[in-house]
Amino acid sequence: VLVDEHHVVSYASPAVANLFGWPVDAVVGAPLADRIHPEDRQAFDELLEADPTRAERVGELRVRTDGAWSWVEMAVTDLYASPESPSRVCNIRRSERLARIEERERLLEAVHSQVLQDLFAAALELDRALTRAAPPIAARIDVARDAVGRAMETLREVVRP
């Protein structure tokens, strides 16, 4: 996309429709910031600040795509074709690196939740068995219950969603 000094899109490649689900006619004439995640707006503004000492500035941020937020890599290049109206070329592509990290975090959170639930269910079963157990077995159940409790605590400390 090509943005003006107010960060309004003056040109959008037809590729934005395929890559991000953005209709070209809806993008042109609208501020690009409208498609940037609120937490990433400062990083976006910094990328778009003119800097004659750096030909290209690159950053990773989230954009709205098909109703969700997707990580992208944005490379910004200043275009000095018209001194009274500076523009910037923003080459945007999906950030596979950040998408993989986000997916790993999502899976880790799901596994964390499932393992904690399983350990909690095991602890409950051990507690039930303890109420009916003979003294020699009760001691062994107590040891197993302590081990499950330690595992739950370790999981909570090591993997915090």
Side-chain angles (χ1 to χ4, degrees), residues 38-149:
E39 293 176 9
D40 297 331
R41 294 255 173 88
Q42 182 177 349
F44 171 70
D45 289 340
E46 289 170 5
L47 281 173
L48 291 182
E49 285 179 15
D51 185 351
T53 64
R54 292 173 47 205
E56 182 179 78
R57 298 170 302 283
V58 178
E60 293 173 316
L61 41 86
R62 290 162 288 184
V63 298
R64 174 66 70 185
T65 59
D66 298 322
W69 294 108
S70 296
W71 282 103
V72 298
E73 181 180 272
M74 182 180 291
V76 177
T77 306
D78 296 320
L79 185 63
Y80 294 105
S82 172
E84 64 277 351
S85 179
S87 297
R88 285 154 192 84
V89 176
C90 300
N91 290 302
I92 308 168
R93 67 177 183 181
R94 292 189 184 272
S95 175
E96 295 302 321
R97 182 185 73 82
L98 289 177
R100 282 192 307 274
I101 290 170
E102 191 172 67
E103 179 63 11
R104 274 193 297 247
E105 287 175 355
R106 187 191 66 74
L107 289 172
L108 187 59
E109 186 174 325
V111 168
H112 175 260
S113 177
Q114 185 61 50
V115 170
L116 269 179
Q117 287 178 19
D118 290 348
L119 287 171
F120 185 73
L124 287 176
E125 286 302 315
L126 288 169
D127 288 344
R128 282 192 203 118
L130 188 59
T131 62
R132 297 184 300 265
I137 301 286
R140 293 175 65 191
I141 292 173
D142 264 339
V143 169
R145 176 64 172 88
D146 288 345
V148 168

